[in-house]
Amino acid sequence: MISIPLYTGDGVSLSPQNSTSRVLSDFIRLVADEGCAITNGNIITEVIDIPQDEASLWQNCEKPPSPPEPEPEAEPQEILDILLGGDQA
Amino acid sequence: MDILSFLMGRITADGSGGGGGSEPVLIDKTISANGEYNASDDNADGYKKVTAQVPNSYSAGDEGKVVSSGALVSQTAHADVTPTTSDQTIDTTLNNSIKVIGDADLVAGNIKKDVQIFGVTGTYEAGGGAESSNICYANSNITLYSEKMIIDSSVGSSMFKKLKGATNLKSVLNQRTDAYGTTYNINNALQNCTSLEDVTLLNGVDTGGYCEDIIAGCPNIKTFTLGGIGHPNTVGVGPTSGSYLLFRSITVPFDIIIYANAASLADVPTILKTGSPWGAVNATVIYKSSVTGEVLT
């Protein structure tokens, strides 16, 4: 897990890119190691922007498996159109 | 009377000469094709060889006369006549006229831009202009060649499923803001749109609705905008945990723009910050006021 400083100002809220018009923000970006994930016990992710003072809450963990592709669902509007035979939008 | 002459037929009974056995006087004559000639005017009895000269020029007043074909051609030739939108009548010296048919469609707007036809330089551009020429409004299965996709029909989110691999696509706008405009069920939907630069979802995304890894393989992505002025995000930006990450697999730097009903970064609802940057390792996150459009810092 690596920690990247984030900058703010000059048209951005949080950016890993610095510039002369930006200042260091109160947030950092934690990035999991290749093939791994990070977690705070609630969230499992590969990258996260957090306040600097929450960095100690995060730890490395195993990367979860990719989810299966869900069955496609028709939009409620599409179902309505089929039932009524026309564009109801 | 000389008896000998009479007997030889050289003198007629009335004493005049000729006739009887005298040779006619024949001469060679060169004439103009359009003249009348009497041999007696040349003190001859006739013409043995006549050479007719045909004029090689033609002038006004020569109507009906014989002239060479070269004279006719030279008289019928005119300066170049350029067709226009109306008929043009050209008088000739042959006492008739030539009409050059005009065409009312010979105008700049009907000719492709920068192409010149009969002196008219075209201004027509396909599609009628930059804004409309490459926009595709779709409400069904399509093969996408356009650069910009605007979605505001009842097809809604499912149209995104049609866009995967659309290599000409540069921008996507889902501008539906009714209850069915929230974008969901778009796993991988815009993957490999290699020209894609901008995505705007005015009604945001449905965080519980399979919005994962949406722009993998889009190396030219520049901005991904959720919401807009008058359209604040309220339900979150996308899945925040597990493998359901909106921008998983995209590593190029780009801007994630999120409109929030807030006056400063500190006031942005936590639900809109949780999970940032939603898998986009090198992205810049920009929160903007949904009231003023100002960047929140």
Side-chain angles (χ1 to χ4, degrees):
Chain A
M1 175 170 58
I2 62 174
S3 172
I4 301 173
L6 295 177
Y7 302 89
T8 189
D10 188 28
V12 305
S13 302
L14 296 170
S15 177
Q17 285 94 40
N18 192 9
S19 74
T20 55
S21 303
R22 295 178 186 169
V23 297
L24 199 62
S25 78
D26 296 331
F27 285 73
I28 58 173
R29 181 166 291 175
L30 295 180
V31 182
D33 297 330
E34 179 99 15
C36 299
I38 52 177
T39 182
N40 64 353
N42 292 321
I43 297 172
I44 301 175
T45 188
E46 296 168 23
V47 56
I48 191 85
D49 295 341
I50 58 169
Q52 289 188 39
D53 55 11
E54 294 181 10
S56 61
L57 301 177
W58 291 81
Q59 299 176 10
N60 291 318
C61 68
E62 286 187 10
K63 190 175 178 180
S66 297
E69 183 76 19
E71 287 294 324
E73 296 178 13
E75 290 186 333
Q77 185 61 45
E78 290 178 351
I79 296 173
L80 187 62
D81 288 347
I82 292 170
L83 292 174
L84 300 180
D87 183 354
Q88 298 299 311
Chain B
M1 180 191 295
D2 181 357
I3 296 294
L4 182 60
S5 296
F6 174 74
L7 291 175
M8 292 182 70
R10 291 185 177 183
I11 299 176
T12 62
D14 61 358
S16 63
S22 63
E23 291 290 326
V25 177
L26 303 176
I27 63 174
D28 292 340
K29 178 71 173 178
T30 298
I31 64 172
S32 170
N34 295 296
E36 289 184 2
Y37 303 91
N38 290 313
S40 60
D41 293 337
D42 295 316
N43 295 319
D45 296 316
Y47 298 120
K48 181 170 64 178
K49 176 182 175 183
V50 176
T51 301
Q53 290 182 330
V54 179
N56 288 325
S57 63
Y58 187 89
S59 303
D62 286 341
E63 293 80 4
K65 292 185 179 179
V66 175
V67 296
S68 71
S69 60
L72 283 174
V73 171
S74 68
Q75 290 302 316
T76 57
H78 291 273
D80 293 342
V81 180
T82 302
T84 64
T85 54
S86 56
D87 295 347
Q88 300 175 73
T89 300
I90 313 296
D91 290 329
T92 72
T93 53
L94 294 175
N95 203 30
N96 56 21
S97 62
I98 296 173
K99 183 164 78 172
V100 178
I101 303 297
D103 195 324
D105 289 327
L106 186 60
V107 293
N110 287 337
I111 301 172
K112 183 180 177 183
K113 189 176 186 298
D114 297 331
V115 171
Q116 196 176 82
I117 297 178
F118 292 134
V120 180
T121 301
T123 58
Y124 173 78
E125 291 184 273
E131 184 61 26
S132 62
S133 61
N134 288 315
I135 295 175
C136 170
Y137 285 82
N139 196 19
S140 63
N141 291 328
I142 59 171
T143 299
L144 186 66
Y145 298 101
S146 299
E147 294 182 352
K148 184 173 183 179
M149 165 64 75
I150 298 176
I151 299 170
D152 60 2
S153 70
S154 64
V155 177
S157 301
S158 60
M159 176 52 61
F160 277 81
K161 295 291 190 181
K162 319 292 184 186
L163 304 180
K164 187 175 181 179
T167 56
N168 290 331
L169 190 62
K170 284 189 176 179
S171 71
V172 173
L173 166 63
N174 184 357
Q175 61 184 18
R176 276 193 82 181
T177 55
D178 61 8
Y180 305 108
T182 301
T183 308
Y184 75 103
N185 195 11
I186 55 169
N187 281 356
N188 315 318
L190 297 174
Q191 284 187 1
N192 302 319
C193 294
T194 53
S195 300
L196 187 63
E197 296 179 358
D198 304 290
V199 177
T200 298
L201 310 178
L202 266 190
N203 219 6
V205 294
D206 183 337
T207 59
Y210 304 106
C211 301
E212 191 228 3
D213 204 9
I214 188 175
I215 52 172
C218 299
N220 291 303
I221 188 72
K222 291 184 172 54
T223 60
F224 198 105
T225 303
L226 299 169
I229 293 179
H231 302 283
N233 285 276
T234 59
V235 295
V237 174
T240 61
S241 189
S243 297
Y244 292 91
L245 296 175
L246 189 61
F247 303 120
R248 185 167 64 86
S249 303
I250 185 75
T251 59
V252 298
F254 68 102
D255 294 342
I256 303 171
I257 301 172
I258 302 162
Y259 282 82
N261 188 11
S264 68
L265 183 58
D267 292 337
V268 173
T270 301
I271 196 171
L272 298 183
K273 297 177 184 175
T274 302
S276 170
W278 305 280
V281 175
N282 295 309
T284 291
V285 181
I286 302 173
Y287 292 96
K288 290 189 175 182
S289 166
S290 61
V291 176
T292 65
E294 291 181 7
V295 174
L296 304 176
T297 58

